[in-house]
Amino acid sequence: MQFIKTRFNYLFGSTKGLILVAIAMIAVVTAIWGMLSGPMAEMGVREIVIKLFGMDIVQAEREGRIIILYHSIAMAVVAIETYMVTGILKMKEFFKMTVRLLITVGYILTMVFGMGFAYFGHNWAFHGLYITGLSLIFFAGVLLCIALWPWDNEYYITDTDYARTKKGIDLERVAFFTTAVTTVLSALFGAVPGSFFGNGFEAFLAENIIRLPHKTTMEYSVIGHLHIMLALIAIMITLIIGRWLNFKGIWHKIAMPLMILGCIVLSLGVWGVVTPLEPVAHMIIYVGATPSMLAALFLLIWSWGKFAKEGTAHIAKPTFLQKLGAMVSDPLKFGPTWQMLFMNFTTSGIGIFMAIRLDEIFRMWPAREERIELTGHWHALSAIIATIILMYYGDMLGLKGKVRQVYGWSIIFLSDLALGAVTVFEMKRLFITEAEQQPLVNMLMYMIDFGLGFLLVLLAIVMVWRMTDLFKPKGRWTEEMTHELSQEVTK
Amino acid sequence: MKRFILTLSLLTALLASCTPVDLNASIPTFDTGIDPNTWAQVPAGEFYFGQHENIETTNAYEIMVTDVTAQQYADFLNAALADGYVKIDSDNVVGYYPGDTFHGIKHELEIKAGDWAYIPLNDPSQRIKFDGTSFTVQPGYENHPMTMVSWFGAWGYCEYYDYRLPSEMEWTKAARGEDERPFPWGDEILRENANFYSSRDPFENMSSFGSRTSPVGFYNGKTYDGYQTLESASPYGLYDMAGNVWQWVGDVQPQEGFSDRFMHGGSKDTYDMDLRIWVRNSAPPMYFSPGVGFRCAR
């Protein structure tokens, strides 16, 4: 009994344990449900999985199933970010415990009963528990906002290396707070149309209606919701990485106000799609996205400069190559910001290019091609966020030496290979005709499958290692029980 | 050595991806026994429209049992060229279209009255050849659906014979009948039901040229050189209402300012999910592709 109790306390009572459980849950869902589409479906694996697990797949409900699947995974990611925020920032113990309790119960209910409802017959009790889970996560979000309230003397800072007001208000905390508040409001922005369309399974995927010039308010709300939630998850992970790396100095002082401004304007722009501001909403979104992305760029500039400087501190006059070597010497710390830069090729760059040349190029192609681009670029962004989480998690595990190098570089190389190929796949019509594309498509598919497949294998190895570790009386888990992320912020 | 082998493998794979596709690779020829000149009767009445099964109504109409074939289209072009209904303009066969009402809505294309391209002539994927006087079909493709045809070309064909393109509702009802089925033949899809991406039919080779069209009516339960198909007609006896080629439908501006034209049925190049009856694709009316065809109604 004691054996189970101590492990349970680790898994559900410590930051690293909670993160491990959530990553494991996502890994299981990804591994099983990843076999229902793409090359696995082509090879016939999908049919085997459906029979093996006794899934009830109704053709007309595909869109609804996918929406629940996305939400199940997204809620676990939101939970991971919440664990990180509550572990890395100062807050009252009551809030920390309550937020974690609510979000843990919430995402597990969402995932287990949501997937149960979507894929294993329609047990309406499961649907109720799925909604209960989402509601608990929402409530956890509200409490997190209260916990992050920055205008409390207790959280004022005096260190002038960090962005702060004259009074000492911590602007980084304000940025975390702003992101949390806008996330909660944006969740509501999706909950309303979710309830509307969920009634009677009238679910739809946004990419399927994107070309219709006249959309209802509820349809706009769905489109806005999915965009803003992913953007806010990305902003939050950027803030978390900045805190972990101990982002400070002049770049921090410029970046934090930009992050706050960007987050607010971006959210207002997205919410504006359901108001008379709709015709100019996209312009507001661009205005909001620019400072947010600049803030991430400043984190990159600061962190790369820091790695290069610290790594060559022992050399009197380091050469460019020595600086470069120092900059990339730790893939787990270099990786997150590299992935943010890489995101510009797979997501932002594609998005901007599409927006600029929409009528001349992309709307001359069939809607299905546009759907490939839309779904491709947000899958890429989601995957990039996942890799950043995995890199931070690698550091939390205390990976050192060659293992750290192999783990970090494998994540970077494999994901970038796959996502680079996804990007070329999305844009292939620019340089190859439909009739002549097959050899190129095959090559790209090999790259995607190789990259994502081995990334999942790597994740599986880590999960198996962590599971076996749990059986050891003095395993790594015992050390992780008491370690808090705030103690591990880079000096 | 290991590095060398790895690099060599990667280079080989990369070079393989640059290998040009032989668009004229030999294609098996089969007589499906389905006559493309036959029409199916669809009675007036209610049916389920769309994914969420809204109840709609159509009048009675007739619709072609198969897609218009390449041979039928070549015959049309020969007759229409002689009549002056179409003409050759540089590399295209063009014909008159009276234009769409233009509303000036964001992203709306202005489709003016005038000559529009029906088909391109010099595209390597075009199966119809023009020798300067007449149109012929590339051997082996006579009973395959006409592809590489714009919406204008589909509209022009139907108009020439006093037919019309089916509306989206008519197309749906013809494919679905009066129940809620997702596929023309029923609730589930197997590889032997239709020509779709990686369906392993005799016309496909995913390691080289990829997927190609199959003759119209191919999925009728017959066995072709050992390849057993399933009878996959719709309740009204239409073939290829799922897979093979997307089919243009006739709705013009179903929403004010929406200049695209809808397509239904999925194609040889799409996953099975796109073969569900209610799935829409759309493109501007001047778009053509080796995966898009049409049929007419009257």
Side-chain angles (χ1 to χ4, degrees):
Chain A
M1 194 60 196
Q2 186 62 22
F3 178 90
I4 294 170
K5 193 180 164 189
T6 49
R7 269 71 175 177
F8 185 86
N9 284 342
Y10 160 68
L11 290 172
F12 294 97
S14 71
T15 306
K16 293 182 184 180
L18 284 164
I19 293 173
L20 172 60
V21 173
I23 291 177
M25 297 277 280
I26 295 171
V28 169
V29 170
T30 309
I32 295 173
W33 273 269
M35 289 190 277
L36 297 187
S37 58
M40 290 296 184
E42 283 169 44
M43 287 188 283
V45 177
R46 175 174 64 182
E47 305 313 317
I48 296 167
V49 172
I50 288 171
K51 278 187 188 152
L52 185 68
F53 290 99
M55 291 179 183
D56 183 8
I57 304 291
V58 178
Q59 292 288 346
E61 293 165 3
R62 178 178 180 273
E63 285 70 16
R65 282 196 301 274
I66 288 178
I67 290 166
I68 290 183
L69 171 63
Y70 290 161
H71 277 83
S72 296
I73 294 174
M75 291 308 107
V77 172
V78 168
I80 290 171
E81 289 197 346
T82 304
Y83 300 141
M84 288 174 173
V85 171
T86 51
I88 208 163
L89 294 184
K90 280 195 284 184
M91 63 180 60
K92 291 185 175 67
E93 195 59 24
F94 166 77
F95 283 119
K96 182 176 169 179
M97 294 299 293
T98 316
V99 166
R100 286 180 171 194
L101 176 69
L102 288 171
I103 204 157
T104 305
V105 176
Y107 93 80
I108 291 175
L109 283 179
T110 301
M111 193 177 261
V112 173
F113 293 103
M115 299 303 280
F117 175 76
Y119 286 86
F120 300 94
H122 298 319
N123 182 328
W124 286 92
F126 284 11
H127 190 268
L129 288 164
Y130 166 68
I131 299 293
T132 305
L134 290 171
S135 307
L136 289 175
I137 295 167
F138 181 81
F139 189 48
V142 173
L143 279 187
L144 181 67
C145 295
I146 298 169
L148 288 173
W149 183 253
W151 293 275
D152 182 335
N153 287 338
E154 199 181 331
Y155 306 123
Y156 284 15
I157 53 171
T158 51
D159 192 336
T160 52
D161 268 351
Y162 299 92
R164 58 190 278 276
T165 66
K166 280 183 184 170
K167 270 186 170 179
I169 297 164
D170 180 355
L171 289 181
E172 189 178 80
R173 195 177 183 92
V174 176
F176 272 104
F177 172 77
T178 309
T179 312
V181 170
T182 46
T183 303
V184 166
L185 292 174
S186 299
L188 202 61
F189 190 68
V192 174
S195 303
F196 179 81
F197 290 113
N199 181 15
F201 298 115
E202 296 220 349
F204 68 94
L205 296 177
E207 57 266 26
N208 290 340
I209 61 161
I210 203 74
R211 281 201 181 181
L212 294 174
H214 305 289
K215 299 179 188 75
T216 66
T217 303
M218 290 296 181
E219 287 170 342
Y220 273 126
S221 193
V222 167
I223 296 169
H225 168 74
L226 68 94
H227 279 90
I228 191 65
M229 293 310 285
L230 198 52
L232 289 170
I233 287 171
I235 288 176
M236 189 60 103
I237 198 68
T238 308
L239 288 169
I240 290 167
I241 295 299
R243 186 83 293 278
W244 164 46
L245 297 176
N246 202 4
F247 187 19
K248 59 182 171 184
I250 185 69
W251 292 112
H252 187 259
K253 290 177 187 175
I254 306 169
M256 286 307 128
L258 287 176
M259 200 60 113
I260 297 162
L261 176 75
C263 193
I264 293 170
V265 176
L266 184 63
S267 302
L268 288 176
V270 172
W271 302 335
V273 299
V274 296
T275 70
L277 286 176
E278 192 275 323
V280 292
H282 254 107
M283 194 49 68
I284 302 172
I285 290 166
Y286 295 145
V287 170
T290 306
S292 306
M293 289 172 71
L294 275 176
L297 175 67
F298 295 159
L299 167 65
L300 181 149
I301 293 169
W302 170 84
S303 63
W304 289 10
K306 183 185 176 221
F307 301 150
K309 197 175 169 187
E310 288 179 357
T312 54
H314 59 288
I315 305 168
K317 280 195 173 174
T319 63
F320 174 74
L321 282 180
Q322 285 170 322
K323 285 181 181 173
L324 191 68
M327 192 177 90
V328 300
S329 63
D330 182 352
L332 295 189
K333 291 194 171 169
F334 164 75
T337 44
W338 163 257
Q339 293 293 78
M340 288 176 203
L341 179 67
F342 187 72
M343 181 203 73
N344 288 292
F345 299 107
T346 62
T347 310
S348 317
I350 297 291
I352 292 166
F353 179 58
M354 279 187 72
I356 294 170
R357 306 300 300 276
L358 189 66
D359 288 335
E360 294 84 356
I361 300 177
F362 297 95
R363 287 283 159 97
M364 301 312 287
W365 299 347
R368 186 176 167 274
E369 295 283 351
E370 194 176 357
R371 190 179 77 189
I372 290 170
E373 287 129 29
L374 294 170
T375 50
H377 94 275
W378 75 257
H379 271 83
L381 177 57
S382 307
I384 281 173
I385 293 169
T387 60
I388 293 173
I389 288 173
L390 286 178
M391 281 189 263
Y392 185 17
Y393 184 65
D395 185 73
M396 283 181 212
L397 292 175
L399 299 180
K400 288 186 174 63
K402 270 198 170 179
V403 177
R404 188 179 178 98
Q405 292 290 326
V406 170
Y407 177 83
W409 284 115
S410 295
I411 291 176
I412 295 170
F413 172 73
L414 293 169
S415 64
D416 291 2
L417 177 77
L419 300 177
V422 166
T423 307
V424 177
F425 182 81
E426 288 168 35
M427 294 286 122
K428 63 184 179 301
R429 201 58 69 237
L430 286 174
F431 49 86
I432 196 157
T433 66
E434 203 175 326
E436 294 166 315
Q437 70 179 22
Q438 196 57 41
L440 175 72
V441 166
N442 288 344
M443 177 64 186
L444 294 171
M445 286 299 158
Y446 292 140
M447 289 164 73
I448 296 166
D449 294 345
F450 175 83
L452 295 182
F454 277 91
L455 199 61
L456 279 174
V457 168
L458 183 72
L459 184 57
I461 292 168
V462 173
M463 290 298 109
V464 170
W465 166 49
R466 295 316 317 257
M467 202 162 77
T468 52
D469 182 69
L470 281 172
F471 288 95
K472 295 177 187 168
K474 292 278 177 198
R476 191 176 287 261
W477 65 273
T478 54
E479 295 167 30
E480 291 179 0
M481 270 189 90
T482 51
H483 270 240
E484 193 44 276
L485 299 185
S486 54
Q487 297 168 290
E488 295 172 3
V489 166
T490 310
K491 298 296 175 211
Chain B
M1 188 60 186
K2 275 183 187 169
R3 272 189 192 171
F4 175 74
I5 293 169
L6 183 69
T7 313
L8 195 67
S9 312
L10 283 172
L11 273 175
T12 311
L14 196 66
L15 285 173
S17 75
C18 302
T19 313
V21 170
D22 179 8
L23 296 174
N24 296 312
S26 66
I27 190 163
T29 52
F30 298 114
D31 179 8
T32 64
I34 307 295
D35 181 2
N37 292 308
T38 51
W39 293 73
Q41 310 277 334
V42 181
E46 293 184 337
F47 72 104
Y48 292 102
F49 179 68
Q51 183 169 9
H52 305 305
E53 291 152 8
N54 301 316
I55 294 174
E56 298 287 352
T57 309
T58 64
N59 294 322
Y61 59 97
E62 286 188 327
I63 186 164
M64 291 174 128
V65 163
T66 71
D67 298 317
V68 170
T69 63
Q71 185 61 59
Q72 285 175 314
Y73 204 85
D75 293 343
F76 151 69
L77 288 178
N78 283 321
L81 188 64
D83 289 353
Y85 183 78
V86 297
K87 58 187 177 190
I88 309 297
D89 182 4
S90 60
D91 286 342
N92 297 312
V93 177
V94 301
Y96 180 78
Y97 175 71
D100 292 355
T101 310
F102 184 63
H103 307 87
I105 288 175
K106 199 175 173 187
H107 303 307
E108 184 184 2
L109 281 173
E110 187 169 9
I111 311 291
K112 290 180 179 169
D115 285 340
W116 290 89
Y118 279 15
I119 62 165
L121 284 174
N122 289 340
D123 191 294
S125 298
Q126 182 58 267
R127 302 301 178 191
I128 286 193
K129 310 296 173 192
F130 183 59
D131 62 5
T133 52
S134 65
F135 296 91
T136 52
V137 180
Q138 184 177 339
Y141 285 91
E142 293 86 350
N143 63 347
H144 283 241
M146 177 59 197
T147 57
M148 301 299 288
V149 55
S150 70
W151 182 89
F152 299 117
W155 175 88
Y157 176 94
C158 297
E159 288 283 316
Y160 185 76
Y161 293 113
D162 283 335
Y163 310 149
R164 57 188 165 78
L165 282 170
S167 69
E168 190 181 32
M169 284 196 190
E170 287 172 336
W171 190 95
T172 302
K173 186 174 178 183
R176 198 175 206 178
E178 292 173 4
D179 59 27
E180 302 164 1
R181 64 185 63 197
F183 299 107
W185 52 85
D187 289 325
E188 298 301 333
I189 181 168
L190 296 171
R191 286 199 170 91
E192 296 76 19
N193 276 125
N195 182 356
F196 58 97
Y197 189 76
S198 210
S199 59
R200 299 176 195 169
D201 56 76
F203 307 93
E204 168 181 296
N205 184 339
M206 301 314 281
S207 64
S208 57
F209 47 73
S211 203
R212 295 183 296 188
T213 54
S214 41
V216 295
F218 183 74
Y219 292 89
N220 59 2
K222 279 176 70 172
T223 303
Y224 305 91
D225 275 356
Y227 182 80
Q228 174 69 54
T229 62
L230 292 170
E231 166 62 40
S232 305
S234 81
Y236 298 116
L238 280 74
Y239 288 95
D240 296 304
M241 291 299 271
N244 211 6
V245 291
W246 289 100
Q247 294 165 47
W248 290 114
V249 295
D251 309 49
V252 175
Q253 299 255 348
Q255 272 195 11
E256 191 177 283
F258 183 67
S259 41
D260 265 19
R261 304 299 198 258
F262 288 133
M263 295 178 257
H264 274 267
S267 81
K268 62 191 178 62
D269 302 313
T270 62
Y271 282 119
D272 52 357
M273 65 181 185
D274 281 339
L275 272 62
R276 294 174 302 166
I277 287 165
W278 55 78
V279 172
R280 276 173 174 167
N281 192 4
S282 74
M286 57 287 279
Y287 176 77
F288 51 80
S289 140
V292 178
F294 69 101
R295 70 181 72 204
C296 306
R298 61 187 182 191

